[in-house]
């Protein structure tokens, strides 16, 4: 990653508005082709993530790029176990809706990007985090959103995997204390982007209307 990652680029970039990228973005699971992403494309995507705003300019994120097939397989097996446990916890009607939903494309994508959060970065006296400690974690999540939208602009799919035990992933990737892995992102080329999100297509849950989410003056 170059020092000028957040400066105006001289390399050609896709011409896509941020609104188009937001509309195109999907949580990809089944559409990965397994074709490798060009190094320059991955660099632009990670560069966009690294340009995210952060509380106190701490930049508390790191990105672990995982391509080793053995590691991908081990993590996929672990996730499959967590999926089974969740399915077993559901009432029968919800379980039937959940059964056909694919929750990850760990091996199919061919690459994972694990985003971590380091609360200790910048020390204890963080400008802007004094009264709301979660602003540090929020900063790392903003990096994830930047990565996701940049990937959409590059016609690259991203799928966020959350069916895992944090201590397992920490040990698997040798992540040092107190750094936390907060997201495993499957990242790879896709055959297509679904027009309707999977959870809506399979009837798990629909999207709330904007009017239901907007409040004026008070909640």
């Amino acid at each position: 990653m170059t020092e000028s990652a957040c400066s105006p680029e001289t390399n050609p970039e896709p011409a896509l508005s941020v609104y188009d990228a937001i509309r195109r973005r999907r949580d990809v699971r089944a559409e990965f082709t397994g074709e490798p992403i060009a190094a320059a494309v991955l660099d632009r995507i990670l560069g966009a993530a690294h340009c995210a705003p952060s509380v106190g300019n701490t930049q508390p994120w790191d990105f672990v790029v995982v391509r080793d097939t053995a590691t991908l397989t081990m993590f996929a097996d672990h996730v499959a176990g967590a999926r089974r446990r969740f399915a077993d916890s559901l009432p029968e009607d919800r379980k039937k809706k959940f059964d056909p939903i694919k929750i990850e494309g760990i091996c199919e994508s061919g690459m994972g990007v694990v985003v971590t959060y380091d609360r200790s970065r910048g020390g204890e006296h963080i400008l802007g985090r004094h009264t709301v400690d979660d602003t540090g974690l929020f900063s790392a999540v903003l990096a994830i959103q930047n990565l996701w939208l940049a990937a959409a602009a590059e016609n690259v799919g991203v799928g966020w995997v959350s069916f895992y035990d944090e201590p397992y992933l920490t040990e698997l990737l040798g992540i040092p204390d107190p750094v936390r892995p907060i997201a495993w992102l499957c990242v790879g080329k896709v055959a297509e982007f679904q027009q309707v999100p999977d959870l809506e297509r399979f009837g798990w849950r629909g999207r709330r209307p904007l009017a239901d989410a907007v409040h004026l003056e008070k909640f």
Side-chain angles (χ1 to χ4, degrees):
M1 190 67 59
T2 64
E3 290 295 327
S4 58
C6 297
S7 301
E9 292 281 356
T10 57
N11 296 329
E13 298 175 347
L16 191 70
S17 79
V18 67
Y19 292 100
D20 287 336
I22 290 169
R23 284 188 288 266
R24 177 185 291 181
R25 185 213 61 79
R26 288 288 178 268
D27 195 353
V28 177
R29 290 140 177 164
E31 294 78 23
F32 290 111
T33 66
E35 185 181 352
I37 298 173
V41 173
L42 179 59
D43 196 51
R44 285 198 295 268
I45 292 171
L46 294 178
H50 194 55
C51 288
S54 61
V55 65
N57 201 27
T58 51
Q59 303 155 69
W61 50 72
D62 284 278
F63 310 104
V64 184
V65 179
V66 183
R67 293 192 181 95
D68 179 72
T69 55
T71 303
L72 296 175
T73 300
M74 283 190 290
F75 186 63
D77 289 344
H78 171 75
V79 169
R83 186 192 195 283
R84 286 192 297 271
R85 292 193 297 274
F86 177 69
D88 290 343
S89 74
L90 295 172
E92 195 59 34
D93 60 330
R94 295 301 276 170
K95 185 175 182 179
K96 287 180 180 178
K97 285 187 179 294
F98 179 64
D99 280 346
I101 298 175
K102 184 174 173 61
I103 63 160
E104 50 82 14
I106 296 164
C107 295
E108 296 91 332
S109 63
M111 181 172 68
V113 176
V114 177
V115 182
T116 65
Y117 168 56
D118 183 357
R119 187 191 178 281
S120 69
R121 188 163 297 154
E124 282 299 313
H125 304 289
I126 304 300
L127 192 158
R129 202 183 72 188
H130 178 66
T131 55
V132 184
D133 189 72
D134 283 342
T135 53
L137 184 60
F138 298 160
S139 300
V141 174
L142 287 171
I144 294 170
Q145 179 76 331
N146 272 19
L147 184 155
W148 214 332
L149 294 180
E154 299 275 3
N155 282 313
V156 170
V158 175
W160 188 330
V161 181
S162 56
F163 280 76
Y164 64 85
D165 299 316
E166 189 172 310
Y168 176 87
L169 184 54
T170 298
E171 182 177 356
L172 181 67
L173 299 185
I175 298 171
D177 186 67
V179 181
R180 292 181 55 197
I182 61 169
W184 178 297
L185 305 176
C186 305
V187 180
K189 289 193 175 182
V190 293
E192 62 177 342
F193 286 99
Q194 290 288 347
Q195 295 300 304
V196 179
D198 283 358
L199 297 190
E200 292 186 51
R201 288 194 299 122
F202 287 102
W204 181 262
R205 179 164 286 117
R207 183 172 293 278
R208 295 171 64 205
L210 175 61
D212 290 353
V214 177
H215 310 269
L216 300 178
E217 309 303 343
K218 293 186 178 181
F219 196 97

